[in-house]
């Protein structure tokens, strides 16, 4: 499937230039390289914008494993992907910043954090600081883009949404609440082209001093009982987990029951 | 009358001697009523105890000793220094001239310190109190209005409250400007923020990018290590939580919840502070248009706040759907209701369906199979409407109404509609 925006005649003036920064993900169980989930959602979000011209940008190494993962993005319906070649262990922010300031996209979409490496989620913030663009995190959707102003929907906890307006150019990150990425088709993924770009490499020196190991299970927090007397300590140790003391209303009319439920719902402030 | 406390050894002797004919009168004179002195300073400066004075005679005529101090009247000890106040024995700590500041920016969801914020303040205390020669102070930076009055108990020495309207809503740029002003003026030694979505995680990364410090994110443990630059080493989660990175603790750290024990043994001053200069007005490029009304039916069951769930006892399905609409609740169902085809499979609550995290769960006609009860484990308030008073759901529920579910729901819908009508009339 080829999005209309990719067709040459749609590349007229007025088309929204969107750059999606994609990274190489890591399958949580097998550990194999794959397209990163959040970045794929970002690509999906970009494809849902009408009249947009999307460039996929990746900065990193080109080898067999990463190429397979990157072709996963191409299989979503793209002809090319810009690959800024960087040696392993390089700090990709200068390279990406120069690539973006050259390409001058209106909107830059990324995932929240990488699935391998440090995965600190700092990249969009550092890019925004370097380019002087505003940055919005945790998007669920982009509602519209008009006159250089984008209206965004930010995902809040419990399925709530917040509407924001941001002046373009801007960098946004997508949340897990954004719509899931479409499947990657094998044929287009094979046919897609990797456009290589050169950029000077800046090495990340600080991370050489770190020790990285597989995540340990975090210790469960113990319930600390600070009791002055033995009796209190015994009571705390022997206490039942839950005392069940709920209120039971039997032999009431439906109206009385409804009244009690209404009171509780009001107290909990779930009624709007 | 002089200030010197005079002791009468004879009276003290009588007070100790329970068999003395004047024992009761002397006790009364000494201000101890009928209570018997159980502990006193002996003539040689040794504490003496009267084991017979303890306890009370129980209902069976047997002497009982209750050491919890619940039933026994607290016996007034003699001599100064014996305090009977056990209410608050936490040490009060006031730091006059701190060697450095540890700045904490709590999230304050709902205007109160969350447990994550308290853990973070505990971590800040570890950093501040590590060296008793060079004691630091914990500075809490709070944006907007709040309802919290326990900052001192949570371990805050200095409180910088920026209570201006510009900080309401989603205003990361204004907050960042305020934090960089604090960085310029107070230059805290450490910045600690909670690594919580849309709260500290966002603001902390912005701050780190602005002041050009490389932060540690997802920190869950710190320990002292003199080989590191700042004297601390931290363990942080990396690569989407699949690796642990051990590194020197930088100036800016974003910590996960349960990164440290919250403060419980000391009380702190929470002294208010202010910045010397007014904050520069900021031209915001991000504008908050407020929350969007979300269709409750579209909210995923796992993250819905208020769920109205139906089971086998529901016969009037139109009434149930109408009630969910009026109450603004997300619909759920038990397995039976789904199997019988009344509700779609993705609405099934329970171990075999969705584990829900609702704050309020209203179960209508659900008897409460164990799989269902497992699925609603993390719900805060459970309300049950059921005909059977002996079912398991009633035992779990915080409020249970025994009655016909259709009638109760109809009455509830009427009540809500009526209240809304009244509110509209009043407005």
């Amino acid at each position: 499937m080829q999005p209309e925006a990719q067709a040459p005649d749609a590349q007229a003036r007025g088309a929204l230039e969107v750059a999606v920064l994609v990274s190489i993900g890591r399958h949580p169980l097998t550990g194999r390289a794959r397209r990163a989930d959040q970045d794929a959602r970002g690509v999906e979000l970009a494809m849902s914008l009408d009249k947009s011209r999307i460039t996929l940008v990746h900065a990193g190494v080109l080898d067999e494993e990463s190429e397979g993962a990157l072709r996963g993005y191409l299989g979503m319906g793209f002809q090319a992907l810009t690959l800024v070649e960087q040696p392993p262990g390089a700090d990709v922010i200068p390279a990406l910043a120069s690539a973006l300031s050259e390409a001058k996209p209106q909107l830059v979409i990324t995932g929240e954090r990488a699935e391998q490496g440090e995965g600190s989620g700092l990249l969009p913030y550092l890019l925004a600081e370097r380019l002087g663009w505003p940055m919005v995190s945790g998007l669920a959707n982009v509602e519209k883009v008009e006159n250089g102003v984008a209206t965004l929907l930010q995902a809040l906890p419990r399925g709530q949404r917040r509407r924001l307006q941001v002046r373009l150019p801007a960098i946004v990150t997508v949340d897990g609440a954004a719509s899931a990425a479409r499947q990657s088709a094998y044929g287009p993924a094979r046919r897609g082209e990797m456009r290589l770009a050169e950029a000077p490499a800046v090495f990340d020196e600080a991370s050489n001093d770190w020790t990285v190991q597989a995540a340990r299970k975090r210790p469960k927090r113990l319930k600390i009982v600070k009791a002055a007397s033995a009796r209190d300590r015994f009571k705390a140790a022997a206490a039942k987990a839950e005392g069940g003391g709920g209120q039971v209303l039997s032999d009431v009319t439906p109206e009385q029951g409804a009244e009690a439920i209404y009171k509780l719902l009001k107290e909990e402030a779930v009624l709007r | 009358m002089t200030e010197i406390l005079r002791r009468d050894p004879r009276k003290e002797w009588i007070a100790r001697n329970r068999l003395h004919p004047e024992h009761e009168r002397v006790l009364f004179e000494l201000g101890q009523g009928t209570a018997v002195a159980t502990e006193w300073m002996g003539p040689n400066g040794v504490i003496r105890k009267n084991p017979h004075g303890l306890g009370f005679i129980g209902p069976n005529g047997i002497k009982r000793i209750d050491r919890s101090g619940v039933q026994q009247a607290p016996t007034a000890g003699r001599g100064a220094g014996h305090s009977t106040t056990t209410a608050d024995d936490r040490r009060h700590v006031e730091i006059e001239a701190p060697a450095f500041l540890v700045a904490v920016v709590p999230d304050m969801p709902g205007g109160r310190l969350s447990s994550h914020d308290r853990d973070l303040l505990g971590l800040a205390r570890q950093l501040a109190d590590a060296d008793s020669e060079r004691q630091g102070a914990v500075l809490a930076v709070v944006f907007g209005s709040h309802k919290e009055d326990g900052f001192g108990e949570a371990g805050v020495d200095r409180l910088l409250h920026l209570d201006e309207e510009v900080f309401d809503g989603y205003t990361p740029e204004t907050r960042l400007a305020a934090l960089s002003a604090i960085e310029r003026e107070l230059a805290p030694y450490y910045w600690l923020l909670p690594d919580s979505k849309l709260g500290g995680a966002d603001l902390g990364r912005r701050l780190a990018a602005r002041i050009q410090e490389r932060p540690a994110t997802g920190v869950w443990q710190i320990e002292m290590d003199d080989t590191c630059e700042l004297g601390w080493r931290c363990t942080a989660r990396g690569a989407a939580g699949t690796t642990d990175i051990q590194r020197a603790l930088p100036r800016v750290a974003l910590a996960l919840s349960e990164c440290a024990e919250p403060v419980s043994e000391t009380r702190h001053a929470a002294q208010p502070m202010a910045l010397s200069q007014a904050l520069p007005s900021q031209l915001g490029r991000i504008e908050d248009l407020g929350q969007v009304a979300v269709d409750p039916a579209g909210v995923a069951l796992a993250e819905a706040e208020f769920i109205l769930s139906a089971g086998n006892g529901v016969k009037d399905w139109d009434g149930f759907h109408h009630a969910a609409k009026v109450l603004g609740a997300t619909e759920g169902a038990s397995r039976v209701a789904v199997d019988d085809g009344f509700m779609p499979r993705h609405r099934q609550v329970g171990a075999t369906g969705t584990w829900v995290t609702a704050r309020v769960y209203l179960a209508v006609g659900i008897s409460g199979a164990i799989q269902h009860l497992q699925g609603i484990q993390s719900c805060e308030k459970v309300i049950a409407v059921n005909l059977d008073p002996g079912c398991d759901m009633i035992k779990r529920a915080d409020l249970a109404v025994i009655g016909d579910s259709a009638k109760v729901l109809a009455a509830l819908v009427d009540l809500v509609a009526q209240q809304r009508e009244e509110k509209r009339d009043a407005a």
Side-chain angles (χ1 to χ4, degrees):
Chain A
M1 195 205 104
Q2 194 74 19
E4 198 187 327
Q6 289 287 297
D9 57 328
Q11 291 181 6
R13 269 170 212 251
L16 180 71
E17 288 279 350
V18 181
V20 187
L21 308 183
V22 294
S23 67
I24 292 162
R26 184 181 167 278
H27 193 278
L29 287 179
T30 62
R32 258 184 256 161
R34 60 160 188 183
R35 62 171 188 180
D37 176 62
Q38 282 190 328
D39 293 337
R41 279 175 200 265
V43 175
E44 183 67 44
L45 180 66
M47 291 171 93
S48 70
L49 298 171
D50 54 328
K51 273 207 240 155
S52 64
R53 221 173 71 199
I54 307 167
T55 0
L56 302 181
V57 183
H58 173 75
V61 197
L62 182 65
D63 57 20
E64 201 176 322
E65 200 181 11
S66 65
E67 191 182 343
L70 291 174
R71 286 198 179 274
Y73 296 107
L74 288 173
M76 292 170 79
F78 293 92
Q79 283 161 350
L81 181 146
T82 310
L83 195 142
V84 184
E85 269 200 287
Q86 294 279 293
D91 181 5
V92 297
I93 287 160
L96 278 180
S98 65
L100 287 181
S101 53
E102 259 172 46
K104 291 199 176 54
Q106 288 291 292
L107 190 63
V108 178
I109 304 178
T110 79
E112 220 143 58
R113 57 180 187 180
E115 291 177 9
Q116 49 185 349
E118 190 187 355
S120 62
L122 271 167
L123 183 131
Y125 294 91
L126 291 172
L127 278 180
E129 194 64 36
R130 202 174 252 250
L131 298 169
W133 294 356
M135 141 91 210
V136 179
S137 64
L139 285 202
N141 202 357
V142 175
E143 287 194 321
K144 61 174 184 221
V145 180
E146 265 179 10
N147 307 330
V149 175
T151 311
L152 316 169
L153 268 191
Q154 193 179 34
L156 301 181
R158 298 226 171 264
Q160 303 298 307
R161 300 280 183 267
R162 178 158 56 193
R163 191 168 285 140
L164 301 172
Q165 261 186 357
V166 65
R167 218 169 300 155
L168 299 180
I171 299 186
V172 297
T173 66
V174 287
D175 184 80
S179 50
R182 63 190 65 185
Q183 251 184 341
S184 175
Y186 184 75
R190 289 293 105 191
R191 284 193 294 275
E193 181 196 345
M194 297 274 179
R195 284 193 196 129
L196 297 187
E198 294 287 322
V202 181
F203 281 92
D204 180 13
E205 305 287 348
S207 58
N208 294 338
D209 306 337
W210 300 350
T211 349
V212 181
Q213 56 195 23
R216 251 189 308 149
K217 205 170 182 187
R218 286 181 64 185
K220 219 172 179 184
R221 179 176 271 180
L222 295 176
K223 203 175 85 185
I224 299 172
V225 180
K226 285 198 176 111
S229 68
R231 185 169 179 271
D232 289 349
R233 279 195 295 277
F234 178 75
K235 264 167 75 180
K240 276 186 194 161
E242 209 168 345
Q247 187 191 359
V248 179
L249 302 176
S250 46
D251 300 328
V252 289
T253 62
E255 282 72 29
Q256 285 166 332
E259 185 81 40
I261 295 174
Y262 180 76
K263 224 178 99 196
L264 200 140
L265 295 182
K266 260 265 131 49
E267 270 171 25
E268 292 294 318
V270 286
L271 289 181
R272 285 178 219 292
Chain B
M1 192 76 187
T2 57
E3 291 292 305
I4 302 167
L5 197 64
R6 297 280 178 197
R7 293 174 63 185
D8 185 343
R10 186 182 145 72
K11 272 191 184 162
E12 283 180 13
W13 178 74
I14 295 174
R16 291 200 299 272
N17 186 354
R18 288 177 297 131
L19 303 178
H20 196 280
E22 288 180 62
H23 177 69
E24 289 292 317
R25 188 183 60 79
V26 167
L27 272 188
F28 183 75
E29 265 176 43
L30 288 176
Q32 293 173 357
T34 53
V36 185
T38 57
E39 207 178 299
W40 64 93
M41 182 79 82
N44 297 327
V46 180
I47 295 286
R48 313 306 304 259
K49 282 184 180 173
N50 175 14
H52 304 292
L54 284 176
F56 57 95
I57 305 297
N60 297 335
I62 299 171
K63 188 169 206 173
R64 315 308 309 242
I65 299 176
D66 179 7
R67 295 190 194 276
S68 69
V70 177
Q71 287 173 307
Q72 199 181 9
T75 49
R78 277 215 258 143
H82 185 104
S83 73
T84 51
T85 52
T86 52
D88 196 358
D89 53 359
R90 286 176 289 180
R91 195 157 51 86
H92 194 86
V93 179
E94 216 159 302
I95 300 167
E96 286 301 329
F100 58 92
L101 285 176
V102 181
V104 176
V105 189
D107 274 346
M108 313 275 297
R112 288 179 211 286
L113 287 173
S114 64
S115 65
H116 193 166
D117 293 339
R118 286 177 195 280
D119 297 343
L120 195 70
L121 286 167
L123 188 77
R125 277 256 70 92
Q126 279 185 27
L127 292 172
D129 298 339
D131 190 355
S132 54
E133 302 281 299
R134 272 182 84 245
Q135 241 225 328
V138 174
L139 164 76
V141 182
V142 177
F143 292 109
S145 56
H146 67 81
K147 297 179 219 144
E148 180 68 49
D149 45 12
F151 281 113
E153 279 83 357
V156 175
D157 296 309
R158 303 278 189 278
L159 180 64
L160 184 58
H161 185 198
L162 299 166
D163 188 10
E164 284 156 44
E165 273 181 19
V166 289
F167 296 116
D168 291 343
Y170 182 70
T171 51
E173 291 179 316
T174 345
R175 291 179 184 214
L176 177 62
L179 291 187
S180 14
I182 293 169
E183 164 78 15
R184 274 196 302 279
E185 189 175 325
L186 303 170
Y189 206 56
Y190 296 103
W191 280 100
L192 297 183
L193 290 101
D195 203 349
S196 60
K197 220 163 171 297
L198 290 181
D202 187 42
L203 193 59
R205 288 182 171 92
R206 281 175 202 272
L207 176 71
R210 177 63 53 89
I211 65 176
Q212 294 179 358
E213 288 284 345
R214 186 170 189 165
T217 58
V219 173
W220 58 276
Q221 199 173 45
I222 60 167
E223 50 211 344
M224 272 198 185
D225 186 352
D226 290 331
T227 56
C228 295
E229 193 187 341
L230 298 180
W232 291 88
R233 190 154 45 97
C234 65
T235 311
R237 284 276 197 247
T242 53
T243 56
D244 272 340
I245 302 175
Q246 286 218 344
R247 58 195 280 192
L249 184 70
R251 272 192 68 212
V252 182
L254 297 145
L256 298 174
S257 60
E258 301 198 0
C259 53
E261 287 296 328
V263 174
S264 62
E265 278 165 1
T266 49
R267 281 185 302 141
H268 295 260
Q271 208 174 310
M273 255 182 111
L275 286 176
S276 61
Q277 291 170 354
L279 294 171
S281 66
Q282 180 88 9
L283 189 70
R285 291 172 296 181
I286 303 170
E287 197 186 340
D288 188 354
L289 301 183
Q291 275 209 21
V292 183
V294 184
D295 176 20
V299 176
L301 201 54
E303 58 175 14
E305 192 174 23
F306 174 29
I307 296 177
L308 177 65
S309 195
N312 199 24
V314 173
K315 297 286 172 274
D316 175 15
W317 285 95
D318 292 337
F320 170 77
H321 294 306
H322 178 63
K325 209 170 175 186
V326 171
L327 296 175
T330 306
E331 287 181 9
S334 74
R335 196 186 144 181
V336 186
V338 173
D339 281 354
D340 291 351
F342 293 114
M343 293 286 280
R345 181 64 71 189
H346 68 269
R347 291 280 162 210
Q348 183 182 329
V349 173
T352 43
T354 312
W355 292 62
V356 297
T357 56
R359 224 150 45 75
V360 180
Y361 186 80
L362 177 47
V364 183
I366 298 177
S367 61
I370 185 70
Q371 290 85 352
H372 194 86
L373 292 181
Q374 280 171 356
I376 61 168
Q377 240 167 18
S378 49
C379 294
E380 266 175 43
K381 289 270 180 210
V382 175
I383 310 172
V385 180
N386 211 311
L387 270 176
D388 173 14
C391 68
D392 287 339
M393 184 55 93
I394 302 275
K395 288 179 196 143
R396 164 70 174 84
D398 298 277
L399 171 68
V401 177
I402 312 296
D404 182 20
S405 63
K407 282 181 191 156
V408 173
L409 267 189
L412 184 59
V413 166
D414 286 347
L415 192 61
V416 171
Q418 181 194 334
Q419 296 280 351
R420 282 205 183 127
E421 197 65 35
E422 274 173 25
K423 204 188 265 176
R424 201 167 305 140
D425 289 346

